[in-house]
């Protein structure tokens, strides 16, 4: 469990993941077989569900019996890297995950933001209000913009990652609204693994901030998890401050405690911004609050340099979102798309087509390009590309996409499969690898053979710490003990991990997205780290 006092290893995590180097030994790829992996529920792209239709084979055909898909060449191949470099400013998209403790008001906040930005029309909101009133949950109307399933709406709890998109003055965002309840942390990890930046929502109500921040609240765990997954830029939305009469003292109390904690997690002070908001009332979301609008807030929330000098009002949430910088996209690396969902396309003339969704980790793809699925090695051709629900001819790293692929058997797909281009060597599917882990707070010390659940992107599979190789000093990174019998809370260690089924991984030095892993045990995140070596057997 994540305790009140942040251990020193968490502060060391940022350093170790950026500087770790894998062994120099050559590593050969694995010939993996398609694996059946439990799916995480998702409503990310389509409500279409995977089903066994009449005449659909229940098992995959062998490679010898399936015809080899010929390479399809477009009439004129697009130089995607060149096209991206010409007009990349118009395509700058940030993947934004919204996290925080359960009942902090995340879905209501973001639903109201989408409505205020014109992404949701008035008629839809009024319908949600009427329907929510009928079941005695009138205040949940804005949350229903993102909470779409009947179970989520009846329980009032986000269970899966909801996806939407919106545009501000300077940025285009793909929104990932993650669940806050501790039972759905695996789904939260799935969403956060695709994020570039984040909003951490906290409840300013008396006692509610403390419930989320102290003890076993999810505010702490979510902040550590998203940092461990590579998120460096963060806006902290102090929500429901109207319940505290827009008290400056309450705002200062929360921000001071959070800032100390976040900088201890590895966030830079300059990359963390705070903003007071009310998601339910829509205050300070897209428009700055002036003295005539809300004197209680405007009296102390002043401009901090993000707006015009003549405007004394402090920044609103959208102002701070516009300050996020866009990370460098590895558009020229080998194409990698980790599958988060898949479904039969079902359009006319596409009986053999399957649609897969996810966020492109690296590289680029275009219509007509031949791909290969890992594990399995099955080949197909990209027939259509949707980027944030808009048809495009090509897509690059950082884009949330749906690819329609022809000549691929849906039985050979699973959550965690990786789509690669045949133009480059595919990703490796491994059963054994080495990782450098930061240990958080496991229920018992980690020993050789310790079982856990391994998380990589949207995939989670049973795994075990096969061997503890060495313990690393938290300050210097030097080896302090080789072949220890166990590792405890706060340790940084290099370990060998084995899995029951092949998992697609890259070395962290080659891919920051596909080279990060997490270990969970009994509903708690016990360690996080980076892949330093892969083995062929």
């Amino acid at each position: 469990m994540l305790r009140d006092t942040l251990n020193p290893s968490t502060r060391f995590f940022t350093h170790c993941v950026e500087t770790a180097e894998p062994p120099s030994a050559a590593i050969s790829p694995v010939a993996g077989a398609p694996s059946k992996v439990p799916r995480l529920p998702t409503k990310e792209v389509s409500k279409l569900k995977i089903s066994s239709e009449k005449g659909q084979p229940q098992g995959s055909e062998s490679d010898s019996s399936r015809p080899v898909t010929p390479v399809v060449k477009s009439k004129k191949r697009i130089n995607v890297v060149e096209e991206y470099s010409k007009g990349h400013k118009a395509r700058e998209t940030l993947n934004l995950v919204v996290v925080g403790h359960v009942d902090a008001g995340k879905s209501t906040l973001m639903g109201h933001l989408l409505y205020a930005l014109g992404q949701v029309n008035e008629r839809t909101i009024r319908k949600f209000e009427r329907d929510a009133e009928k079941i005695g949950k009138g205040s949940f109307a804005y949350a229903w913009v993102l909470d779409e399933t009947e179970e989520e709406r009846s329980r009032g709890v986000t269970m899966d990652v909801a996806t939407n998109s919106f545009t501000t003055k300077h940025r285009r965002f793909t929104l990932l609204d993650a669940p806050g309840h501790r039972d759905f942390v695996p789904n939260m990890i799935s969403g956060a693994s695709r994020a570039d930046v984040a909003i951490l929502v906290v409840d300013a109500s008396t006692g509610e901030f403390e419930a989320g921040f102290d003890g076993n609240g999810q505010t702490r765990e979510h902040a550590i998890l998203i940092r461990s997954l590579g998120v460096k830029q963060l806006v902290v939305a102090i929500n429901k401050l109207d319940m505290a009469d827009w008290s400056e003292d309450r705002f200062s109390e929360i921000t001071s405690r959070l800032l100390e904690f976040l900088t201890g997690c590895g966030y830079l002070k300059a990359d963390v911004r705070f903003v007071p908001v009310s998601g339910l009332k829509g205050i300070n979301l897209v428009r700055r609050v002036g003295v005539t609008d809300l004197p209680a807030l405007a009296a102390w929330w002043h401009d901090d340099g993000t707006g015009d000098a003549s405007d004394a009002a402090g920044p609103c949430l959208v102002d701070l979102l516009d300050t996020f910088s866009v990370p460098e996209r590895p558009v020229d690396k080998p194409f990698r798309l980790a599958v988060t969902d898949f479904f039969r396309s079902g359009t006319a003339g596409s009986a053999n087509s399957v649609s897969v969704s996810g966020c492109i980790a690296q590289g680029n793809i275009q219509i007509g390009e031949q791909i290969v699925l890992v594990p399995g090695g099955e080949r197909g051709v990209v027939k259509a590309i949707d980027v944030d629900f808009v048809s495009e001819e090509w897509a690059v790293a950082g884009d949330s996409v749906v690819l329609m692929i022809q000549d691929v058997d849906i039985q050979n797909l699973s959550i965690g499969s990786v789509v690669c281009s045949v133009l480059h060597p595919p990703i490796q599917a491994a059963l054994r690898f080495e990782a450098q882990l930061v240990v958080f707070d496991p229920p018992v010390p980690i020993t050789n053979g310790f079982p856990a659940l391994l998380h990589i992107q949207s995939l989670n599979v049973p795994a075990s710490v096969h061997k503890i190789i060495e313990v690393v000093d938290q300050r210097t990174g030097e080896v302090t003990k080789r072949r220890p019998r166990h590792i405890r809370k706060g340790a940084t260690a290099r370990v060998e991990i084995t899995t029951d089924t092949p998992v697609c991984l890259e070395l962290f030095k080659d891919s920051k997205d596909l080279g990060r892993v997490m270990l969970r045990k009994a509903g708690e995140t016990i360690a996080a780290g980076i892949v330093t070596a892969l083995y062929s057997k």
Side-chain angles (χ1 to χ4, degrees):
M1 290 179 287
L2 304 174
R3 305 297 185 189
D4 294 354
T5 305
L6 187 69
N7 58 64
S9 65
T10 305
R11 293 191 293 269
F12 178 68
F13 181 80
T14 305
H15 171 74
C16 74
V17 299
E18 301 296 341
T19 58
E21 290 294 334
S24 58
I27 300 166
S28 60
V30 172
S35 59
K36 297 298 180 183
V37 183
R39 295 186 58 200
L40 290 177
T42 178
K43 59 194 175 190
E44 178 182 338
V45 182
S46 174
K47 296 181 180 178
L48 291 174
K49 303 299 181 181
I50 301 170
S51 60
S52 296
E53 298 177 353
K54 291 185 178 180
Q56 175 65 27
Q58 297 303 308
S60 60
E61 299 176 350
S62 64
D63 292 340
S64 60
S65 63
R66 287 185 60 81
V68 177
T69 304
V71 177
V72 176
K73 296 182 180 180
S74 58
K75 294 180 180 180
K76 184 177 181 181
R77 183 174 174 82
I78 301 171
N79 187 330
V80 175
V81 175
E82 183 178 316
E83 291 295 318
Y84 175 76
S85 62
K86 287 179 181 178
H88 73 281
K89 288 187 179 297
R91 294 285 300 271
E92 282 185 338
T93 300
L94 282 169
N95 298 300
L96 170 70
V97 67
V98 184
V99 298
H101 187 63
V102 64
D103 293 335
K106 300 181 296 298
S107 296
T108 296
L109 173 68
M110 300 314 297
H112 207 142
L113 177 68
L114 291 172
Y115 168 67
L117 290 172
Q119 295 296 110
V120 183
N121 60 45
E122 184 80 15
R123 182 178 179 181
T124 300
I125 288 295
R126 298 300 162 247
K127 181 181 183 302
F128 287 163
E129 288 177 346
R130 291 192 301 270
D131 293 346
E133 286 287 351
K134 290 178 182 178
I135 62 172
K137 297 181 181 292
S139 62
F140 287 20
Y142 290 106
W144 285 13
V145 173
L146 295 165
D147 292 342
E148 297 178 347
T149 68
E150 183 178 346
E151 186 175 5
E152 286 179 318
R153 291 180 175 182
S154 62
R155 293 179 57 180
V157 175
T158 300
M159 301 170 64
D160 199 1
V161 178
T163 303
N164 211 303
S165 62
F166 64 92
T167 303
T168 62
K169 184 178 180 180
H170 301 294
R171 295 285 182 267
R172 189 171 72 181
F173 289 92
T174 297
L175 171 63
L176 304 162
D177 182 35
H181 196 284
R182 63 187 304 104
D183 290 349
F184 307 113
V185 169
N187 293 357
M188 175 266 171
I189 293 174
S190 172
S193 65
R194 293 170 265 161
D196 301 307
V197 295
I199 297 177
L200 175 63
V201 182
V202 298
D203 187 342
S205 305
T206 303
E208 293 302 316
F209 166 71
E210 289 75 14
F213 187 68
D214 299 330
N216 294 324
Q218 296 306 108
T219 301
R220 284 175 176 265
E221 183 174 17
H222 283 199
I224 292 175
L225 288 178
I226 60 175
R227 183 63 192 92
S228 302
L229 290 167
V231 173
K232 298 180 180 179
Q233 301 177 78
L234 184 67
V235 166
V236 181
I238 311 299
N239 193 25
K240 305 184 185 180
L241 195 60
D242 52 312
M243 303 295 290
D245 298 325
W246 299 104
S247 169
E248 182 180 6
D249 291 340
R250 180 62 169 168
F251 180 82
S252 299
E253 175 193 359
I254 293 172
T255 55
S256 61
R257 291 190 64 187
L258 279 175
L259 187 60
E260 180 182 3
F261 169 74
L262 293 171
T263 52
C265 290
Y267 295 94
L268 297 178
K269 186 176 180 180
D271 291 333
V272 179
R273 308 290 298 278
F274 297 89
V275 59
V277 297
S278 172
L280 182 60
K281 297 180 180 179
I283 297 174
N284 211 35
L285 299 186
V286 300
R287 188 173 66 86
R288 297 189 176 202
V289 176
V291 176
T292 57
D293 301 317
L294 188 60
L297 176 60
W300 56 270
W301 184 242
H302 301 297
D303 181 76
D304 63 351
T306 62
D308 297 332
S310 59
D311 189 356
C316 61
L317 177 60
V318 167
D319 291 332
L320 297 189
L321 296 182
D322 267 339
T323 65
F324 282 141
S325 60
V326 179
E328 190 71 23
R329 304 294 191 191
V331 298
D332 55 350
K333 285 190 173 184
F335 175 73
R336 303 284 188 263
L337 171 70
V339 176
T340 60
D341 195 17
F342 58 97
F343 49 90
R344 212 180 309 280
S345 298
T347 56
S350 59
N352 296 329
S353 295
V354 175
S355 291
V356 300
S357 66
C359 181
I360 300 177
Q362 61 184 46
N364 62 81
I365 194 74
Q366 59 183 284
I367 294 175
E369 190 162 339
Q370 191 176 21
I371 57 88
V372 60
L373 296 178
V374 182
E378 188 173 20
R379 295 193 174 193
V381 178
V382 177
K383 303 300 291 184
I385 301 173
D386 281 0
V387 180
D388 284 333
F389 314 107
V390 177
S391 295
E392 301 283 359
E393 291 185 344
W394 52 269
V396 296
D399 287 340
S400 294
V401 301
V402 179
L403 303 182
M404 190 176 78
I405 304 173
Q406 193 171 31
D407 298 329
V408 168
D409 188 347
I410 196 170
Q411 299 295 327
N412 292 335
L413 270 168
S414 60
I415 301 300
S417 296
V418 175
V419 182
C420 307
S421 171
V422 298
L423 300 177
H424 303 95
I427 193 172
Q428 180 171 337
L431 289 165
R432 186 165 65 103
F433 65 94
E434 286 183 13
Q436 183 168 300
L437 298 178
V438 173
V439 180
F440 297 145
D441 192 7
V444 295
I446 297 176
T447 57
N448 290 337
F450 186 87
L453 201 62
L454 174 73
H455 288 259
I456 169 71
Q457 293 280 317
S458 296
L459 174 68
N460 60 90
V461 295
S464 64
V465 178
H466 180 68
K467 181 171 62 177
I468 303 172
I469 300 171
E470 60 193 20
V471 175
V472 179
D473 183 85
Q474 297 173 2
R475 298 179 298 275
T476 65
E478 296 179 355
V479 177
T480 59
K481 190 174 184 179
R482 299 187 185 278
R483 295 183 294 279
R485 295 180 61 185
H486 62 266
I487 46 179
R488 295 180 178 272
K489 171 184 176 180
T492 299
R494 190 161 63 91
V495 303
E496 181 181 307
I497 297 174
T498 58
T499 60
D500 293 350
T501 55
V503 293
C504 297
L505 295 165
E506 294 269 25
L507 300 180
F508 178 77
K509 72 178 186 67
D510 297 328
S511 174
K512 288 181 170 54
D513 289 335
L514 297 170
R516 297 183 190 271
V517 295
M518 284 190 177
L519 293 179
R520 286 176 57 81
K521 176 80 170 178
E524 302 287 346
T525 304
I526 61 172
I530 59 173
V531 178
T532 56
L534 299 171
Y535 295 103
S536 58
K537 294 183 180 179

